[in-house]
Amino acid sequence: MYAQMIKSEATQDDPEKLAAFQARIDAGEKIEPKDWMPEGYRKTLIRQIGQHAHSEIVGQLPEGNWITRAPTLERKAILLAKVQDEAGHGLYLYCAAETLGVSRDEITEMLLDGRMKYSSIFNYPTLNWADIGAVGWLVDGAAIMNQVPLQRTSFGPYSRAMIRICKEESFHQRQGYDAIRKMAEGTPEQKKMAQDALNRLWYPSLMMFGPSDKDSVHSAQSMKWKIKMNTNDELRQKFVDQTVPQAEYLGLTVPDENLKWNEERGHYDYTDPDWSEFFDVIQGNGPCNVDRLADRNKAWDDGAWVRDGLLAHAKKKAARQHAAE
Amino acid sequence: MTRDDAFAQFLLRMGDNTLILGHRVSEWCGHAPVLEEDIALANTALDLIGQTQMWLGLAGEVQGQGKSADDLAFLRDAWDFRNVLLCEVPNGDFGRTLMRQFLFDAWHSIQLGRLMKSSDERVAAIAEKASKEVAYHLERSADTVVGLGDGTEESHRRMQEALDYLWPYVGEMFQSDEADAEMVKAGIAPDPASLREEYDALISRILSDATLTIPDSSFAHKGGRTGAMHTEHLGHLLTQMQWLQRAYPGAKW
Ligand SMILES: [Fe+2]
Ligand SMILES: [Fe+2]
């Protein structure tokens, strides 16, 4: 889940219009950009889609960290293709946000100066090659959990972006699982890398779904508007249930002593992540927050002359064409 | 030099160019000036790595010592690399990266066009596949060079600096030796020098649209395509690229 703790905006619109809007949503209709919508709906969506888009963009960094060290040509190609997909996801999502009246430059500035967030997961480092497999397996896996239901979200452009993105995310997850399987079945050192990756990334992956339902105060309105489809704990449980047997198949140990199948519930019991760590990361104190933002800011600042140059050229070209007509 | 030795040398030259340049371009991942450029750079790197798999795969086959493309990429030392120096110079700013790409793409597209008529079917097939990708690389890098050359005062200055820095690395692409003569004789590949006229015409047109001036010097650094003397940069690149394979020999990834 790339959007965490999205605050829904209270809304002060005409009650009649609101009721008609809610009726459309309840009837399963899609809301399109030109339709009337409550200001709170629009603002909440900008925040959620923006956070998702920023996550795709910042998410390039921990994976890009291994592109130049990928161990085979094929792995390098797979990783390049994945990171390219993620940048493409960012692009679709920024376009979806633009339909709500916020330009890509505006929303980018909000990421760069810290007004908007991205998923906490990308503030964790990738330290060995198995992390690349683990990211595909766990991080893309967790993202899919959330994004598959969002294909049915009420906002048309967001729903369509999700449909396109989900296909690629499942592909990433399969490739990630394949990469970590190679490691888990490999030499003792490779197996150690795979276990180390799971040890470090397990709880941060669980955090991707956001705080516990009991502490999640913004969900009700978003669920009513169908921009959030399931509660955080529902999705987290689903993720644990899906992932534990996969870890077992790999011969890897999930770092949770309390993990066990609960026959009565039909689910695994598991330990929640350390929420104080989660809030630290959200506040900017994760292991990589400062570096990630500095990287994005540097890319943006260093690229200013390129953006200006290309824009100036486009204007000159248009002027020349105009003069020739 | 036997014909197979010359053939293997030629294939290493093709594959090492795409490997080393693909690696350099991939260093940009997540750091480009705009999202569209991040996507385009990753795409270029991906194409080049794909081409590497084909060229080095065939090189291993022709050498006949059971070496895979990965063995050749990850287990040779700098002196065995045969890429031109242009491909290994550091990225510099975005302007230098794109100028390097353009100067290489222009050569690459002409070279692949000739190789499509190679007497060796395998070479012709790789060239055919690669030439479609490279036509797109060239279109993009040429457009960007024109856009930035004829953009703002700053972008113009940076592009001219990039061209001045890279120009001495252009000539090596057209130098030839015994192995090239052998390839010409076998009808496998053209004489590198024979590409120069078409190349000069192509880059003159684009660089003039870009309002940039080609330096008035024909001096050319050399030593990459023969392996006699690479830059200091190649060793660092290989240190990073080959690290896992070197640290954990024999592991399957
Ligand atoms: Fe994605
Ligand atoms: Fe993904």
Side-chain angles (χ1 to χ4, degrees):
Chain A
M1 174 185 262
Y2 288 162
Q4 296 159 319
M5 301 182 70
I6 301 300
K7 185 170 174 300
S8 23
E9 291 277 335
T11 221
Q12 291 167 325
D13 297 280
D14 174 3
E16 245 173 71
K17 276 187 174 172
L18 270 180
F21 178 79
Q22 189 61 48
R24 289 189 63 195
I25 290 183
D26 295 343
E29 278 181 48
K30 290 277 177 259
I31 308 300
E32 294 300 329
K34 287 196 178 116
D35 298 346
W36 183 85
M37 62 185 78
E39 198 47 23
Y41 177 84
R42 198 179 66 84
K43 282 192 179 151
T44 309
L45 264 176
I46 288 178
R47 211 173 278 158
Q48 181 167 334
I49 297 174
Q51 195 181 110
H52 187 164
H54 298 329
S55 300
E56 302 282 359
I57 301 310
V58 178
Q60 292 181 90
L61 299 172
E63 295 193 277
N65 182 39
W66 280 92
I67 285 184
T68 55
R69 289 175 291 170
T72 68
L73 294 169
E74 195 189 352
R75 291 284 171 210
K76 195 191 195 79
I78 290 172
L79 186 54
L80 270 166
K82 177 180 195 284
V83 175
Q84 188 191 5
D85 286 348
E86 306 300 5
H89 298 170
L91 200 55
Y92 311 151
L93 288 161
Y94 285 133
C95 291
E98 272 180 333
T99 69
L100 292 162
V102 57
S103 75
R104 206 204 307 175
D105 280 3
E106 280 174 280
I107 209 169
T108 300
E109 296 287 351
M110 289 195 265
L111 165 70
L112 297 178
D113 65 19
R115 272 176 292 161
M116 284 183 86
K117 304 263 183 250
Y118 52 89
S119 177
S120 55
I121 188 72
F122 301 118
N123 288 314
Y124 288 87
T126 51
L127 299 180
N128 80 59
W129 171 251
D131 285 28
I132 295 307
V135 165
W137 172 37
L138 301 173
V139 176
D140 288 73
I144 293 166
M145 280 292 153
N146 178 50
Q147 291 169 19
V148 165
L150 277 176
Q151 295 180 111
R152 294 178 284 110
T153 187
S154 60
F155 187 56
Y158 192 26
S159 155
R160 290 188 287 276
M162 282 301 122
I163 291 169
R164 230 171 134 177
I165 288 174
C166 277
K167 285 193 194 119
E168 290 176 354
E169 300 295 14
S170 350
F171 192 57
H172 298 165
Q173 195 199 13
R174 279 202 300 278
Q175 285 175 327
Y177 189 72
D178 176 68
I180 200 164
R181 189 169 53 86
K182 260 279 168 42
M183 304 289 287
E185 291 169 354
T187 64
E189 290 95 336
Q190 285 177 301
K191 203 170 157 112
K192 187 174 162 190
M193 290 179 211
Q195 185 61 55
D196 175 54
L198 180 58
N199 291 348
R200 278 180 290 103
L201 290 168
W202 173 254
Y203 287 107
S205 299
L206 296 188
M207 291 177 196
M208 288 176 70
F209 299 96
S212 262
D213 293 348
K214 59 180 187 322
D215 303 317
S216 190
V217 286
H218 309 297
S219 294
Q221 179 63 73
S222 287
M223 289 182 81
K224 218 174 134 199
W225 277 334
K226 292 192 188 163
I227 53 189
K228 185 177 170 87
M229 310 299 283
N230 306 83
T231 73
N232 296 348
D233 286 334
E234 270 167 31
L235 291 170
R236 191 168 11 251
Q237 181 71 61
K238 214 173 154 195
F239 175 77
V240 171
D241 291 347
Q242 174 187 291
T243 309
V244 169
Q246 294 171 343
E248 277 167 6
Y249 181 83
L250 293 174
L252 298 176
T253 309
V254 174
D256 178 357
E257 286 180 359
N258 301 316
L259 186 77
K260 68 167 194 298
W261 179 252
N262 183 325
E263 195 63 58
E264 210 173 300
R265 292 203 306 127
H267 292 292
Y268 282 95
D269 291 337
Y270 64 94
T271 308
D272 256 349
D274 174 355
W275 292 117
S276 69
E277 178 182 318
F278 172 74
F279 288 107
D280 277 341
V281 176
I282 295 281
Q283 298 304 320
N285 293 319
C288 303
N289 296 57
V290 172
D291 290 344
R292 297 284 189 250
L293 260 195
D295 267 15
R296 287 310 308 162
N297 271 290
K298 185 173 188 310
W300 187 249
D301 296 344
D302 289 353
W305 71 269
V306 176
R307 296 189 302 275
D308 293 347
L310 294 175
L311 190 68
H313 176 71
K315 281 187 185 154
K316 281 189 206 174
K317 212 169 137 184
R320 279 196 291 261
Q321 238 152 28
H322 190 73
E325 273 162 19
Chain B
M1 179 174 264
T2 70
R3 185 172 136 190
D4 272 357
D5 288 344
F7 192 17
Q9 180 89 337
F10 160 76
L11 293 166
L12 288 178
R13 285 170 174 171
M14 292 303 293
D16 288 346
N17 280 341
T18 53
L19 173 63
I20 299 302
L21 185 61
H23 183 96
R24 280 288 186 228
V25 175
S26 79
E27 292 172 2
W28 272 95
C29 175
H31 298 88
V34 275
L35 198 41
E36 283 82 352
E37 289 302 332
D38 260 321
I39 296 173
L41 289 169
N43 186 56
T44 301
L46 183 57
D47 287 342
L48 292 172
I49 297 303
Q51 293 167 19
T52 304
Q53 288 176 293
M54 298 189 282
W55 290 124
L56 293 188
L58 184 53
E61 214 176 295
V62 170
Q63 282 178 340
Q65 292 157 12
K67 284 192 180 145
S68 67
D70 280 339
D71 292 336
L72 291 172
F74 294 96
L75 300 174
R76 278 179 301 155
D77 203 345
W79 53 36
D80 286 328
F81 275 77
R82 293 293 179 267
N83 58 284
V84 290
L85 301 176
L86 179 69
C87 295
E88 71 195 46
V89 292
N91 287 337
D93 66 3
F94 183 79
R96 191 193 284 178
T97 295
L98 261 290
M99 181 60 80
R100 182 185 60 197
Q101 193 65 40
F102 167 66
L103 293 170
F104 180 78
D105 290 343
W107 171 83
H108 203 194
S109 70
I110 298 168
Q111 168 81 338
L112 291 171
R114 304 278 177 97
L115 292 179
M116 281 161 66
K117 291 169 236 141
S118 172
S119 63
D120 187 284
E121 280 171 20
R122 297 164 297 180
V123 170
I126 297 173
E128 168 129 25
K129 183 167 187 303
S131 72
K132 293 190 190 103
E133 296 166 349
V134 170
Y136 181 67
H137 300 174
L138 176 62
E139 191 187 313
R140 240 198 109 85
S141 61
D143 278 357
T144 312
V145 164
V146 171
L148 293 174
D150 181 37
T152 58
E153 214 172 290
E154 183 182 6
S155 72
H156 176 85
R157 173 181 59 77
R158 283 177 183 257
M159 294 314 280
Q160 185 64 53
E161 279 170 14
L163 179 57
D164 294 348
Y165 174 83
L166 293 168
W167 186 249
Y169 294 101
V170 166
E172 191 189 6
M173 294 187 285
F174 306 96
Q175 287 167 358
S176 49
D177 62 9
E178 204 193 329
D180 296 298
E182 202 53 51
M183 288 298 94
V184 174
K185 216 162 66 189
I188 292 176
D191 175 6
S194 72
L195 273 53
R196 185 82 207 223
E197 203 178 321
E198 197 179 335
Y199 182 85
D200 283 340
L202 197 164
I203 64 161
S204 301
R205 183 166 54 79
I206 300 295
L207 293 173
S208 124
D209 285 353
T211 70
L212 296 172
T213 312
I214 296 177
D216 187 21
S217 160
S218 58
F219 174 76
H221 289 296
K222 57 179 189 291
R225 75 193 299 281
T226 60
M229 194 164 73
H230 280 280
T231 66
E232 288 180 346
H233 308 295
L234 182 63
H236 293 278
L237 184 155
L238 297 180
T239 301
Q240 195 169 59
M241 184 174 88
Q242 299 182 335
W243 172 67
L244 274 173
Q245 288 263 3
R246 300 284 194 177
Y248 301 98
K252 298 271 175 289
W253 306 92

